[in-house]
Amino acid sequence: MLNFAVGPVQMAPEILQVGAQPVPYFRTGEFSALMKENERLLVEFAGAGEGSRAVCLTGSGTAGMEAMVVNFLDASDKVLVIDGGGFGHRFVELCRIHRIRTEVLQLHYGEILTEKHLEAYEGAGCTAFLVNLHETSTGVLYDARLIHSFCERNGMMLLVDSISSFLADPFSMEELGVDVMMTSSQKTLALPPGLAVLVLSARAVRKAERTDCGCMYLDLKLALKDGERGQTPFTPAVGILLQLHERLKELERKGVEAETAHIRMIAEDFRRRIVKLPFTLASTSMSNAATPVHPLHGSAKRIFEILKDEYEIWVCPNGGDLADEIFRVGHMGNLTIEDNTALLKALADMERRGLL
Ligand SMILES: *Cc1c(COP(=O)(O)O)cnc(C)c1O
C-alpha cells in the first residue's frame, strides 16, 4: 500500500527494521542513555529554550492532550480554546470532563483564525490558550504568530497541540512563546502510534512540578523526575522509543529544516498537479502536512474506497457532514515525488473510467 493518510503515515525501511527487533529489557544504563538522547533531540527540534524538558508518554496523541489539560490547568484557570474542528472540539470536551472553565472560540469548518476573532477576548481574564496549531480534521493551519502576540499581551500561558505540524511547518517554542507543545509518534515523526511527546518550557516544568494533577498515569511530575535519569515511572513503549531514537538521529544528520523543506516540496508538487484534475483545494491556510481536496464530481468517500480497494493507495476520508465533499492527502512520512505521481496517475485513471 502507498500511504497518504494523515497518520499513521508511511514509515522508512530503517524504522521498520528497528521495529522487527526483539524488545529489550529497559531498566538498564543503555536504555537510559538512549532516552536521554531522545529528550535532548526533542527539546532541540522543538526549538525549546534553556531549562526545557521533554517527556514521552505511552498512549496516542489524545493522551498527550489530556496530560496537557490535567497538568497545566486547574479550577483557577479560564482557558480560551479554539474549536475549529474535531481536534479542537476534543480539547473543549477534555476541559469539560476535568471541570476547567473555558471560553470557546468557535470557528466554522475551514475558517481561518484572525485578529478580529481574538479581539472579543482581549483583556477578558483568560489565563491560558489551548489550540491545535494545525486542525488536521479540516486542514487549516492557524497563525502561530497572531496567537503568540495575543498571549503575550494578555499574559496567558500557551499550550499547543502541534501533532501534525511539528517538523512539517517551521516551529520554534522559544520564538512563539510556547509553554508546552505536544506531538505524537504516528504523524510527522513517522513511527507507529503509541507515543505522545510533550516538550515543556522551563516555566512549564516549574508549573508541572507544583501541580496535583489528580491522575497517576498522566502525572508529569513522576515522568519528569524519572526522566532525569533516563527512565519512566511505568513500562514505556520500549520498541517505539527505539524507533524514535533511530528517527531523531536521522533528523539530526539531515537537519530539521531539510525535513520541513522536503515535506513542503512534496506538498507543493501535489497541490500544483491535483488542480489540473477535477479537484479543488479545500483550504486557503494549509500546513505542509496535508491537503484537503474537494472533488468536483463524485463522492470523496467513494474515491477513498476505490483508491484503497483498486489502486492500493490510502488517502484519508473526512468524517461527519463533509464525508462526501472532502478527502485529505497527507504529505508526512517516507514519501517522494514519484509517490505523488502514482497517486495522480490513479486519479487520472479514475477520471478516464468515468468515476470522477
Ligand atoms: C492526530 C492528531 C491527534 C491525535 O489523535 P490520536 O488519535 O489520539 O493519536 C490530536 N490532535 C491533532 C491535531 C492530530 O492531528
Side-chain angles (χ1 to χ4, degrees):
M1 290 298 279
L2 190 49
N3 185 0
F4 292 92
V6 298
V9 305
Q10 190 146 293
M11 290 191 265
E14 307 79 60
I15 301 292
L16 293 172
Q17 209 159 19
V18 175
Q21 303 308 308
V23 174
Y25 177 63
F26 66 100
R27 301 285 187 203
T28 62
E30 290 78 7
F31 188 70
S32 294
L34 177 142
M35 288 291 276
K36 285 182 133 173
E37 190 160 49
N38 280 354
E39 178 171 0
R40 175 178 69 77
L41 292 171
L42 287 167
V43 166
E44 180 185 326
F45 298 162
E50 196 70 29
S52 299
R53 296 282 311 273
V55 164
C56 293
L57 298 174
T58 304
S60 80
T62 306
M65 294 171 76
E66 191 151 22
M68 263 193 188
V69 170
V70 300
N71 284 278
F72 299 102
L73 302 170
D74 61 31
S76 69
D77 285 296
K78 185 163 81 165
V79 190
L80 181 57
V81 190
I82 308 299
D83 183 357
F87 292 110
H89 199 69
R90 193 170 296 173
F91 267 142
V92 175
E93 278 294 291
L94 282 166
C95 287
R96 189 185 59 74
I97 289 165
H98 295 287
R99 298 187 171 81
I100 310 291
R101 284 186 302 156
T102 53
E103 288 279 356
V104 178
L105 199 168
Q106 190 79 49
L107 300 174
H108 61 72
Y109 189 99
E111 190 178 0
I112 290 162
L113 179 73
T114 64
E115 188 85 58
K116 192 123 195 63
H117 288 121
L118 294 176
E119 266 168 23
Y121 302 94
E122 207 78 59
C126 290
T127 56
F129 198 111
L130 199 48
V131 63
N132 319 86
L133 209 50
H134 175 219
E135 176 50 80
T136 325
S137 70
T138 64
V140 172
L141 180 70
Y142 300 130
D143 182 345
R145 290 190 188 280
L146 177 74
I147 296 170
H148 167 44
S149 65
F150 176 81
C151 287
E152 207 167 48
R153 260 195 322 279
N154 287 279
M156 292 160 75
M157 195 166 56
L158 177 53
L159 308 174
V160 169
D161 162 1
S162 54
I163 287 193
S164 62
S165 169
F166 177 57
L167 302 177
D169 307 300
F171 177 83
S172 159
M173 282 178 68
E174 211 170 16
E175 277 172 31
L176 296 170
V178 173
D179 290 286
V180 183
M181 80 79 109
M182 191 264 296
T183 190
S184 67
S185 50
Q186 80 274 28
K187 306 286 171 79
T188 19
L189 284 170
L191 304 172
L195 287 183
V197 176
L198 287 106
V199 184
L200 284 61
S201 70
R203 177 163 87 150
V205 171
R206 286 194 296 277
K207 176 136 182 153
E209 282 169 350
R210 286 195 312 266
T211 304
D212 173 13
C213 77
C215 178
M216 182 195 276
Y217 199 69
L218 299 179
D219 190 345
L220 294 182
K221 275 195 298 299
L222 301 176
L224 286 165
K225 178 136 201 357
D226 285 5
E228 284 170 12
R229 53 186 176 92
Q231 283 292 325
T232 53
F234 319 107
T235 306
V238 177
I240 308 175
L241 287 163
L242 297 180
Q243 291 174 300
L244 175 65
H245 186 252
E246 178 78 20
R247 174 74 166 126
L248 294 175
K249 295 300 281 179
E250 182 227 350
L251 285 168
E252 189 183 33
R253 282 193 296 276
K254 167 171 169 187
V256 167
E257 292 77 16
E259 175 75 2
T260 304
H262 175 78
I263 298 173
R264 185 175 59 233
M265 188 265 293
I266 298 284
E268 286 174 353
D269 171 73
F270 175 77
R271 287 166 193 170
R272 221 173 14 250
R273 295 202 276 164
I274 187 71
V275 292
K276 296 185 179 147
L277 290 166
F279 294 96
T280 56
L281 306 180
S283 170
T284 51
S285 170
M286 288 180 280
S287 159
N288 295 319
T291 305
V293 175
H294 169 60
L296 295 176
H297 318 290
S299 146
K301 184 107 197 172
R302 184 91 190 100
I303 293 168
F304 155 73
E305 293 286 350
I306 296 171
L307 283 172
K308 172 170 70 68
D309 297 338
E310 298 179 29
Y311 295 90
E312 301 194 331
I313 295 175
W314 279 314
V315 294
C316 225
N318 260 39
D321 297 345
L322 291 167
D324 286 323
E325 299 297 320
I326 293 171
F327 64 87
R328 291 160 299 155
V329 175
H331 310 299
M332 299 170 274
N334 192 36
L335 290 172
T336 62
I337 296 286
E338 291 70 40
D339 295 331
N340 278 351
T341 302
L343 170 58
L344 291 154
K345 263 193 173 152
L347 291 168
D349 189 53
M350 284 172 66
E351 188 186 20
R352 251 191 316 276
R353 292 170 60 199
L355 296 167
L356 293 179

